[in-house]
């Protein structure tokens, strides 16, 4: 049963959203991954939200570029958390998608992440944190992942400091 749904406005967005699904897989979170469009397939979007919610989906991640109405269209159809990932798909460099995703009317929020792959990654992490509120095992996996991030920074810092100390002593 998918706990997270990952929707993209176009199949061409798949490469940008792969980091999201990789993290969900790594954390052992079941997810649905598909293409649906707020403009071209509004009925499909509505049906998917209803079907997935009925099956227990807890978080919706929506990635779209340009007008980027997908996250808003999903937020209009569910009270579950919706996370938006704006994509840089136009000559405006993603600013259009960012504004379309972040500017939601009161009562229909979309948690908006960064553009492109960075946003895809953080959407997965944020979805995991939301799910971890009611899943102690997932919360422990998140803590372990964070410990790995901390260890990597400490290792890098030690390497930089050692190299600097060597340069200073020569």
């Amino acid at each position: 049963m998918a706990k997270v749904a990952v929707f993209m406005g176009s199949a061409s967005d798949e490469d940008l959203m792969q980091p999201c699904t990789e993290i969900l897989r790594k954390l052992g979170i079941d997810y649905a991954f598909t293409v649906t469009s707020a403009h071209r397939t509004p009925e499909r979007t509505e049906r998917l939200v209803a079907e997935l919610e009925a099956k227990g989906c807890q978080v919706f991640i929506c990635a779209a570029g340009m007008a980027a109405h997908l996250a808003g269209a999903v937020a209009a159809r569910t009270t579950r958390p919706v996370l938006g990932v704006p994509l840089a798909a136009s000559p405006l460099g993603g600013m259009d998608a960012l504004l379309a995703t972040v500017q939601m009317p009161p009562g229909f929020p979309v948690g908006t992440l960064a553009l492109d792959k960075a946003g895809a990654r953080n959407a997965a992490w944020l979805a995991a944190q939301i799910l971890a509120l009611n899943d102690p095992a997932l919360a422990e996996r998140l803590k372990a992942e964070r410990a790995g991030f901390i260890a990597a920074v400490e290792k890098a810092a030690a390497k930089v400091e050692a190299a600097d100390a060597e340069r200073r002593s020569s």
Side-chain angles (χ1 to χ4, degrees):
M1 163 179 53
K3 294 285 186 187
V4 176
V6 181
F7 293 165
M8 301 174 294
S10 172
S12 63
D13 301 331
E14 186 173 2
D15 181 55
L16 293 172
M17 291 308 292
Q18 281 299 324
C20 178
T21 59
E22 289 169 7
I23 290 167
L24 294 172
R25 258 192 321 276
K26 182 178 184 177
L27 292 171
I29 297 170
D30 191 24
Y31 63 90
F33 188 42
T34 193
V35 175
T36 190
S37 170
H39 300 109
R40 294 182 297 262
T41 60
E43 295 85 5
R44 173 179 167 73
T45 302
E46 185 171 16
R47 180 176 44 81
L48 284 169
V49 171
E51 288 173 359
L52 287 162
E53 191 173 299
K55 292 177 183 175
C57 185
Q58 298 295 304
V59 180
F60 292 88
I61 296 172
C62 301
M66 298 172 71
H69 291 138
L70 183 56
V74 171
R77 290 166 174 83
T78 185
T79 57
R80 306 281 166 88
V82 176
L83 308 178
V85 180
L87 303 177
S90 79
L92 298 177
M95 183 59 77
D96 49 349
L98 175 62
L99 293 174
T101 305
V102 77
Q103 292 292 348
M104 294 300 300
F108 297 87
V110 169
T112 306
L113 286 299
L115 293 170
D116 297 336
K117 289 184 178 185
R121 287 182 187 95
N122 273 340
W125 290 115
L126 185 53
Q129 288 178 301
I130 292 167
L131 295 173
L133 292 170
N134 294 306
D135 185 339
L138 178 55
E140 288 304 314
R141 292 194 301 275
L142 282 170
K143 287 179 186 174
E145 289 295 323
R146 285 220 174 155
F149 294 150
I150 292 166
V153 170
E154 290 175 351
K155 182 178 177 182
K159 183 178 177 181
V160 167
E161 291 165 7
D164 183 59
E166 187 174 314
R167 284 189 297 272
R168 288 175 188 238
S169 67
S170 35

